[in-house]
Structures are given as C-alpha cells and as structure tokens.
Amino acid sequence: MGKVSEIIANVLKEKRKNLLEPEAKAICQEYNIPVTRFKVARKEKEAIAFAEEIGFPVVLKIVSPSVIHKSDVGGVIVNLKTASKVEEAYKTILANVKRYKPNAEIAGVLVQEMAPPSTEVIVGAIKDPQFGPSVMFGLGGVFVEVLKDVVFRIAPLTKQEAKSMIAEIKAYPLLKGYRNKPPSDTDAIADIIVNTSKLVTDHQEIKELDLNPVMVYEKGAKTVDARIILE
Ligand code: ADP
Ligand code: MG
C-alpha cells in the first residue's frame, strides 16, 4: 500500500474523518506539495530539541482530533526564537486548549519551521457531488472570506490550466507585482494546484482539502497549514 493510503487507512481505523495537521502534511509531501518542516513533540524537552533541529524561529501548534480551528482555541504560537520561549509556548498552548476544550484529547504539539511572512494564497479541493474532485484557488484572508474572489476547476488539471486559473482571480495583479512589491512565484503555485488535483483524483476518499495558507515568495511557495477531511 502507498504511504497516502496507509495514512488514510490508519485515520479511518481510529474512526476519524479529520486528519491531524502532521498527517495532512505528510500526505502533501508524498505529492511534492512543499510544506514547512515539522515534528510532533510530546514533552517540552522534546519540543526544544526539535526546534533546535529545525532551526529558530519556530511555530508551535496543538495537535488534537478535538480541535479543527487551532488558532480559535489559542493553539498556535508563531515566531518563537529561543528554547525558553518554546518551553513557555508549549505550556501556554496546552493550558489554552484545556481551558477552551476541557475534554480535548491531545496527540502532541507540532513544532514547525516558521515561514517568513509573505503573500498568502489558498489552494483547496472539494468533492462535488456532480463533477467529482474539484480544486479551488484564491488569495488568503479577506479576498476569500469577504470578497469571495476564488476560482474552481474540475480535477485533474494540466499546468497550463492551473496557470490560467491563477490569472482569473480579480486579485491577480497583486501576484504579478506592482510598484515596489515584487512578483510572486506563480509557477510554484501552479505546481501546488496541479499536485493537489492529482492527489484528490487518486484518492477519492478525500472529501475536502484546504491548504490555508500557502506562503508565496519571489521564488518558491510553502504550505503552512493543511487540513484534509475524509468522506
Ligand atoms: P488554524 O487551524 O487556526 O487555521 P494555522 O495553522 O493556519 O491554524 O495557523 C494560524 C495562522 O498562523 C496562519 O494563518 C498563519 O498566518 C500563521 N502560521 C501558522 N503556521 C505558520 C508557520 N509555520 N509559519 C508562519 N506562519 C504560520
Ligand atoms: Mg489555517
């Protein structure tokens, strides 16, 4: 069995539908979707060791099947620059989650590479009852949530189709660069869209997928948060 099928089978065996972020990111890696380096810690000391291995600054996040929107429960702390900050953040995250969700089952704390702030985009996928797996693209934050500036295509997609999809959003000029804002690497985004479309085409057990956000740079892009929900 392939690695992706193995992860999915394991999640279903545990009677879950929502993949944990490290599970979703491990699946992304199998499809060459770039993600921030990560490791799951189960003790403060382990979190510090992982942070030193990954390199500061790091981000800590709760890993819990009971928590879907991690920042809503104080489960994400970014830009940790020292071992003592990591130790403190580890305790704070567990305390926050216990306060918001006293019965939350805790699988650990995710230590990950901090992606430098940049333009945020969203790549998503849903299984449309009529058209099957479809992919979505838009710019992060208000662009998707308020302005609904998004584009959908039926999967699978060619790279050319992915590129035309990117050019279709109203906010495209922001990606192309303007004044002193350099252009974003739309080629790297197109690769992520194509690889996402392959993933959801190969694995029809996936009902929803969200790479939100993906940081895009002048060169390259990196998925900072990944969510996958099974049927
Ligand atoms: P949520 O479950 O709340 O969506 P996220 O993992 O998306 O949690 O984290 C919330 C926000 O924190 C992100 O939208 C992003 O702005 C920031 N963030 C999370 N992880 C990283 C990271 N590795 N590098 C940089 N910023 C991050
Ligand atoms: Mg997110």
Side-chain angles (χ1 to χ4, degrees):
M1 196 172 9
K3 177 112 188 263
V4 174
S5 301
E6 224 168 84
I7 294 170
I8 291 175
N10 185 55
V11 170
L12 292 173
K13 205 176 76 196
E14 291 181 10
K15 307 239 179 301
R16 287 189 284 128
K17 296 261 184 249
N18 293 318
L19 273 66
L20 300 168
E21 182 178 333
E23 293 167 336
K25 281 185 169 170
I27 286 180
C28 287
Q29 287 176 320
E30 292 300 305
Y31 276 81
N32 291 318
I33 297 166
V35 299
T36 44
R37 291 185 65 202
F38 66 93
K39 278 198 154 180
V40 180
R42 286 177 181 87
K43 288 194 170 64
E44 281 101 324
K45 289 275 169 302
E46 208 177 19
I48 293 169
F50 291 160
E52 279 162 355
E53 197 183 314
I54 289 167
F56 293 100
V58 293
V59 176
L60 259 56
K61 302 188 198 180
I62 190 67
V63 184
S64 163
S66 337
V67 176
I68 294 176
H69 298 289
K70 301 172 293 284
S71 40
D72 289 357
V73 298
V76 178
I77 303 183
V78 303
N79 207 18
L80 301 164
K81 291 176 176 150
T82 61
S84 67
K85 291 282 179 203
V86 167
E87 187 170 0
E88 194 184 310
Y90 190 103
K91 293 187 180 120
T92 306
I93 284 178
L94 291 190
N96 287 347
V97 174
K98 281 193 187 121
R99 181 149 37 88
Y100 285 100
K101 288 212 164 189
N103 300 321
E105 183 195 321
I106 313 283
V109 173
L110 192 60
V111 182
Q112 65 184 246
E113 168 193 356
M114 166 97 189
S118 189
T119 305
E120 298 187 3
V121 301
I122 299 175
V123 175
I126 51 152
K127 202 167 169 191
D128 185 273
Q130 206 170 348
F131 301 109
S134 311
V135 287
M136 181 274 255
F137 170 73
L139 243 65
V142 290
F143 292 96
V144 167
E145 282 155 28
V146 183
L147 303 172
K148 314 284 179 214
D149 183 16
V150 293
V151 197
F152 284 89
R153 284 278 200 293
I154 298 168
L157 292 182
T158 63
K159 186 146 176 193
Q160 210 41 55
E161 286 170 317
K163 285 198 156 173
S164 78
M165 194 176 168
I166 296 166
E168 252 173 57
I169 58 165
K170 291 194 197 72
Y172 181 60
L174 296 181
L175 292 176
K176 272 205 319 189
Y178 62 99
R179 293 199 198 143
N180 47 17
K181 190 186 174 297
S184 299
D185 191 342
T186 48
D187 199 69
I189 306 174
D191 284 333
I192 293 177
I193 293 173
V194 169
N195 292 338
T196 299
S197 95
K198 276 192 200 135
L199 164 61
V200 295
T201 304
D202 292 349
H203 294 277
Q204 305 255 341
E205 319 90 290
I206 296 175
K207 188 176 139 208
E208 271 177 58
L209 173 152
D210 250 304
L211 310 179
N212 181 10
V214 176
M215 297 285 186
V216 194
Y217 303 99
E218 268 187 88
K219 203 155 179 14
K222 212 163 249 193
T223 302
V224 150
D225 183 24
R227 206 160 60 90
I228 292 178
I229 301 174
L230 303 176
E231 279 198 319

